[in-house]
Amino acid sequence: PLDMGVAGAAWATTLSQGVSAVCITVYGFWKTPLLRVARRHMALDWKRMGGIVQYSLLTCVQQSVMNFGILMIQGLVNTFGTAVMAAFAAAVKIDAFAYRPVQDFGDAFSTFLSQNYGAARPDRIRGGVRSAVRTAVIFSLVISAAVVIFARPLLYLFIDPAETEIIAIGVQYLHIEGACYVGIGCLFLLYGLYRGIARPAMSVVLTVLSLGTRVALSYALAPLPAFGVVAIWWSIPIGWALADAVGFLYYWFKVR
């Protein structure tokens, strides 16, 4: 393999995405006549355009809030030294891998809801919500159990076993935050729910609640000697729980 460096890897990633996009477009045009654009399709529907812009802006706001909150937490973690920084970096990688399936499940759930919302099938939406919650909860509990039990071996994938201090901090993080994946699993479902039933602003509200709570608790409690870095670990599931409670209560009293 060539040593391309960071810039070369970035260009390679961009090129691969471009090639994939072209291939998918050609394949879709060839295999699916419905996707072929003709002159009669070249009329601009301002109402649809407005809806697309609204959804896009709210999604941008949601992603920006998430990234800003993550940056603030990372900045606070960095004040606790290199051992905590290294443990946090490794544990976050395990997090991303562990709950990625339920995040994708939330995206699929959003598509299912939007189709039935457009078809005016509230019965299927209610049934889908119940099934999705059961599935997400069971999956999240299984993943949490696996991460808690195998926290140390998982960290060995990223950290030298000789770095006992870093391993101990990472295990502490995974035993606290990793045990609560059911919170983020339900939150992903709520994001998908409110996007699917044309209430994307509620997804932004839940994101602000989750990350706002996390940031506020972390910055308020972590500097205190009685709490320290553990406050950051606990603030994450607390933020998830608060956003979940608001999201489900809103659904129960306003949407259902």
Side-chain angles (χ1 to χ4, degrees):
L2 298 176
D3 184 10
M4 297 184 295
V6 176
W11 276 108
T13 301
T14 303
L15 180 62
S16 65
Q17 291 173 342
V19 171
S20 298
V22 171
C23 292
I24 290 172
T25 302
V26 172
Y27 181 83
F29 186 84
W30 177 41
K31 285 289 189 178
T32 312
L34 184 64
L35 298 179
R36 297 173 187 173
V37 179
R39 181 176 293 276
R40 66 180 184 275
H41 301 135
M42 299 298 183
L44 184 60
D45 188 330
W46 289 104
K47 184 177 180 180
R48 292 181 185 273
M49 179 63 70
I52 292 172
V53 170
Q54 179 187 8
Y55 271 73
S56 300
L57 288 176
L58 288 172
T59 302
C60 289
V61 170
Q62 182 180 7
Q63 294 299 321
S64 298
V65 169
M66 291 177 65
N67 291 330
F68 182 70
I70 292 170
L71 284 175
M72 292 191 68
I73 294 297
Q74 183 66 64
L76 182 61
V77 167
N78 292 348
T79 64
F80 285 89
T82 55
V84 174
M85 290 170 58
F88 183 71
V92 165
K93 291 184 177 68
I94 296 170
D95 271 346
F97 181 79
Y99 58 66
R100 180 68 191 185
V102 77
Q103 184 176 2
D104 293 335
F105 183 76
D107 294 337
F109 180 55
S110 179
T111 302
F112 168 82
L113 290 179
S114 63
Q115 291 172 344
N116 288 282
Y117 181 76
R121 292 292 304 273
D123 56 320
R124 294 194 67 190
I125 291 177
R126 286 192 291 270
V129 169
R130 290 192 293 268
S131 298
V133 170
R134 285 196 296 267
T135 303
V137 168
I138 293 172
F139 177 84
S140 299
L141 291 175
V142 171
I143 293 298
S144 287
V147 168
V148 170
I149 294 171
F150 300 105
R152 193 174 296 273
L154 288 171
L155 288 166
Y156 288 162
L157 298 173
F158 306 100
I159 303 171
D160 188 335
E163 301 287 350
T164 56
E165 181 185 4
I166 299 175
I167 295 293
I169 296 171
V171 169
Q172 181 190 56
Y173 172 93
L174 292 175
H175 281 177
I176 294 173
E177 192 264 1
C180 303
Y181 285 149
V182 67
I184 189 65
C186 291
L187 191 54
F188 283 137
L189 287 186
L190 289 169
Y191 290 157
L193 168 66
Y194 291 115
R195 287 196 302 266
I197 62 172
R199 300 195 184 190
M202 192 60 191
S203 294
V204 178
V205 171
L206 297 181
T207 301
V208 172
L209 276 174
S210 175
L211 286 167
T213 301
R214 184 190 311 183
V215 171
L217 288 177
S218 297
Y219 275 83
L221 300 178
L224 302 178
F227 295 97
V229 74
V230 177
I232 303 176
W233 308 158
W234 275 112
S235 70
I236 299 173
I238 291 173
W240 293 342
L242 178 61
D244 287 340
V246 172
F248 280 117
L249 287 173
Y250 184 82
Y251 172 78
W252 186 264
F253 291 106
K254 293 292 185 181
V255 177
R256 186 177 66 95

